[in-house]
Structure formats: C-alpha cells, structure tokens
C-alpha cells in the first residue's frame, strides 16, 4: 500500500477555524497558525493577514519582554527558570526563541526548546522556536505577527529570546515593553563594550551564573556595570537600568529580576510612556512591512534577478558606484 505524504492528508483549515482555534488556545491549531504567519507563500500571507486583522482586537494585553545576551550566558536556562517561576504564579507564558539560520543552507538548529525541558512540559507554557532566516536585529522575520497570535491565544507573558549576537539586538527593543540583557560574571572586557547605545536600549541587566565559585565575581560585576552605566548616564538617574545578579541554575535572584521588569513596566505606565511606546512599535511594524513589500515587488518583476546580478557585477568591478547601483534599482521599481 502506498502512503500519501502527511501534507496531503492534513486537513486545510479555514480562516474561521484558525481564528477559533487560536482564541481557545488549541495547541495544534495555534502551531499551525504560527506556521501560517511565518510562511512566505503568497496565498498563506494573504490568509495570515486576514487572521491577524481578526485577532488584533484581542491583542495588546500581555507583557512583552525581550531577552538577549552573548552566546554562553545561559539565556535558555534563564528563560526556563523565569518561565517556571511565572507559571507557578498561575500566569500563561509563551516563549519565542530565535535561532540563527545558516548563510549557506538557510537551515537552523532550533534547539532552544530542548534546553527548556521543564517549561516545555507545562500546560500553561508554549515554546515556539523560529529561524531568523537572515533577518537582522536578533529576531525572526515574523516575530511581531507571532507575538500577536500568542496574545490572542491568551498568553499573558511573551518572552522573546534573541540570537544574542551583540550589537544587532535593536529590533527586539522596538517590539517589547522591557529589554533585558544577561551578562557573564567576568565583567572585564564586557565593561569596555558598554556604550551609550546600550544604555538607550536596555531596561534591566542581570549578571547570570551567580552560583558556586562565581557568586563573588557576579556581585562585583553587577556593581561595576552599575557604576559604568551611572558614569555614562550624564547624571540622569532615571536612565540608568537596574543591574542585578542571579543564577538560573539555582533559581537565585530570578524573582528579583522579574520584580525589576515589573517595576520598569509600572513606571512606564505611570508616566504614559508605555502607551506611547506601543504606538511607536505599531509604526515601526508598518515601516518594516513596507520594506518587505518593496523587496518582494522588486523580486517579482520580470528579469529582476538578472538586473540585480548585472548591477551587482558592475558594483563589484567598480564600474558603478553603490549609490548609482541603488538608483538604478529604484528606477526599475519606479521609486525615483
């Protein structure tokens, strides 16, 4: 007997089925809805747009937290610990983990879920790994859309784990309410990397791995980071992020980190900045979608690939300046 591929057996869902499934947090349909919004297929994009439009009135009530840090700092373990702490408070927690895609194959390991084994088994938690597929800023191409789908499903806390490659973690700060950076106990060289740009982006810093022989080093590093941030703040105490020490391994300081996140959000709400930030995030989302549409439009034009390759060849051979090359592409799009 010949078995048909699973993709041919699987029932195609209607827009109503997607919407009702997401709203009642049917995990199977929720996963398929997230796959739908992540898809680059034209028909899927059209359906996904309609789905997001229907779900929008049920979004916006969650707390959105971006979490970044250099590889090896323990982001996944930290999120597992923080998520478990939140679940014990009877909160529904969703995690969007972003993995880097290969520049050669386009593939991604998507292994973060295996490093959050405790949280992954909780009924009040949902973990969704996504490849960044070349998107800059530490996030995936459809992170915003995925976040809104999860909010409509009733998740009260959305945690977004970025790739953690350093200075590219800008977009995540433009779609979250609090941006948390995890640091390693051995401050040293990392202190040299603290720039004013970090001060403008980050809301809470936590020195992770404050356990065992690292406790003293972690506490010292937290003090050094706090002093460094104060020195470049220009005396504006309100702009200095809170710096704490914690251990995801032993659960030490996790509650304090969450308290600092809540304090930041409460402060934003009291000042009116929270709503202003949310409005700004909507504008940035629109701008990013416009950029994507322009790229798709160019790619769909007849002979677009040949034109681009020809222009790129001329730029590489110094026959054409990058400015002139960009102008020719814009001329082709009718944007000049």
């Amino acid at each position: 007997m010949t078995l048909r591929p699973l993709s041919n057996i699987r029932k195609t869902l209607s827009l109503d089925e997607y919407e009702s499934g997401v709203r009642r947090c049917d995990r199977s349909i929720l996963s398929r809805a997230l796959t739908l919004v992540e898809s680059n297929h034209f028909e899927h994009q059209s359906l996904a747009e309609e789905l997001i439009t229907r779900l929008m009135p049920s979004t916006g009530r969650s707390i959105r937290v971006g979490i970044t840090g250099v590889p090896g700092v323990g982001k996944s373990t930290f999120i597992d610990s923080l998520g478990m702490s939140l679940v014990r408070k009877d909160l529904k927690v969703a995690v969007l983990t972003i993995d880097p895609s290969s520049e050669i194959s386009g593939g991604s390991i998507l292994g973060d879920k295996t490093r959050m084994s405790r949280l992954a088994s909780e009924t009040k938690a949902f973990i969704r790994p996504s490849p960044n597929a070349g998107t800059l800023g530490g996030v995936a191409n459809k992170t915003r859309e995925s976040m809104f789908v999860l909010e409509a499903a009733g998740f009260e806390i959305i945690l977004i784990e970025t790739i953690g490659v350093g200075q590219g973690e800008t977009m995540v700060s433009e779609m979250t309410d609090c941006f948390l950076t995890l640091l390693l106990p051995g401050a040293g060289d990392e202190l040299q990397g603290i720039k004013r740009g970090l001060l403008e982006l980050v809301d809470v810093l936590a020195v992770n791995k404050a356990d065992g022989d690292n406790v003293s080093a972690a506490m010292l590093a937290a003090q050094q980071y706090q002093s460094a941030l104060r020195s470049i703040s220009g005396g504006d105490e309100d702009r200095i992020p809170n710096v704490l020490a914690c251990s995801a391994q032993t659960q030490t300081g996790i509650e304090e980190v969450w308290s600092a996140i809540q304090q930041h959000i409460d402060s934003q709400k009291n000042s009116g900045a929270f709503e202003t930030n949310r409005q700004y995030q909507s504008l940035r989302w629109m701008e990013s979608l416009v950029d994507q549409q322009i790229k798709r439009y160019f790619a769909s034009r007849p002979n677009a690939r040949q034109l681009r390759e020809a222009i790129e060849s001329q730029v590489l051979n110094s026959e054409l300046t990058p400015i002139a090359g960009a102008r020719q592409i814009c001329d082709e799009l009718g944007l000049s």
Side-chain angles (χ1 to χ4, degrees):
M1 182 178 66
T2 302
L3 296 178
R4 288 181 296 166
L6 182 60
S7 58
N8 293 337
I9 300 174
R10 203 174 207 186
K11 176 180 176 291
T12 301
L13 297 178
S14 67
L15 182 60
D16 288 341
E17 288 172 319
Y18 271 120
E19 181 186 4
S20 63
V22 168
R23 290 188 183 281
R24 67 175 184 271
C25 200
D26 181 306
R27 287 174 176 265
S28 175
I29 295 179
L30 179 58
S31 295
R32 294 180 64 177
L34 291 170
T35 300
L36 178 73
V37 302
E38 290 173 353
S39 173
N40 289 321
H41 192 282
F42 177 76
E43 291 183 5
H44 293 170
Q45 291 175 350
S46 178
L47 185 60
E49 182 178 334
E50 292 184 57
L51 177 61
I52 294 293
T53 300
R54 285 195 183 188
L55 296 176
M56 280 297 286
S58 300
T59 67
R61 292 187 284 271
S62 71
I63 293 176
R64 308 165 184 170
V65 181
I67 302 174
T68 190
V70 296
V73 76
K75 292 190 297 295
S76 297
T77 305
F78 174 85
I79 292 173
D80 192 45
S81 296
L82 176 61
M84 289 299 297
S85 175
L86 295 171
V87 165
R88 294 188 192 106
K89 300 178 190 295
D90 204 30
L91 293 168
K92 291 183 66 178
V93 181
V95 181
L96 290 171
T97 72
I98 316 302
D99 273 8
S101 300
S102 168
E103 293 290 336
I104 300 174
S105 68
S108 184
I109 298 174
L110 302 180
D112 283 310
K113 193 169 183 177
T114 63
R115 295 192 290 270
M116 303 179 194
S117 55
R118 292 182 303 162
L119 193 60
S121 64
E122 289 289 333
T123 57
K124 287 185 173 292
F126 185 89
I127 302 173
R128 175 72 177 193
S130 299
N132 76 319
T135 302
L136 300 179
V139 295
N141 189 33
K142 300 295 179 67
T143 299
R144 288 184 179 92
E145 289 85 340
S146 297
M147 183 173 64
F148 282 115
V149 170
L150 291 167
E151 286 187 340
F155 289 96
E156 299 154 288
I157 311 293
I158 311 290
L159 305 177
I160 302 175
E161 178 192 3
T162 73
I163 296 172
V165 292
Q167 298 179 0
E169 313 299 287
T170 52
M171 284 177 61
V172 71
S173 68
E174 297 176 349
M175 64 178 69
T176 54
D177 306 314
C178 184
F179 190 32
L180 167 68
T181 296
L182 296 177
L183 303 166
L184 289 166
D189 294 337
E190 283 191 74
L191 269 176
Q192 305 303 318
I194 290 185
K195 306 294 183 184
R196 193 169 300 276
L198 175 62
L199 182 64
E200 293 170 352
L201 289 177
V202 72
D203 301 306
V204 178
L205 290 99
V207 180
N208 192 25
K209 302 189 177 182
D211 47 56
D213 296 336
N214 288 329
V215 174
S216 297
M219 298 300 294
L220 176 61
Q223 294 173 8
Q224 291 176 324
Y225 282 122
Q226 192 80 65
S227 298
L229 290 168
R230 184 172 287 108
S231 68
I232 64 175
S233 68
D236 187 354
E237 291 290 327
D238 293 335
R239 293 179 57 215
I240 303 175
N242 202 349
V243 185
L244 307 96
C246 68
S247 169
Q249 196 69 40
T250 64
Q251 297 280 317
T252 306
I254 299 299
E255 289 287 343
E256 287 76 8
V257 173
W258 180 246
S259 178
I261 291 171
Q262 287 186 305
Q263 288 174 17
H264 169 76
I265 292 173
D266 290 343
S267 174
Q268 293 287 296
K269 288 182 176 179
N270 291 335
S271 68
F274 185 88
E275 186 59 33
T276 300
N277 289 340
R278 285 285 179 97
Q279 292 170 346
Y280 173 74
Q281 289 169 11
S282 294
L283 289 179
R284 289 292 297 123
W285 185 16
M286 181 186 72
E287 291 169 2
S288 70
L289 290 174
V290 170
D291 291 341
Q292 292 173 31
Q293 289 294 340
I294 290 174
K295 290 179 180 178
R296 288 196 195 102
Y297 175 70
F298 177 72
S300 67
R301 301 273 293 190
N303 303 320
R305 182 175 180 178
Q306 292 88 334
L307 171 66
R308 180 162 184 161
E309 288 177 350
I311 292 175
E312 288 177 348
S313 176
Q314 293 178 66
V315 171
L316 287 171
N317 294 326
S318 299
E319 299 169 2
L320 200 65
T321 67
I323 295 175
R327 185 182 299 113
Q328 285 193 26
I329 292 176
C330 288
D331 288 342
E332 177 65 22
L333 292 173
L335 298 175
S336 300

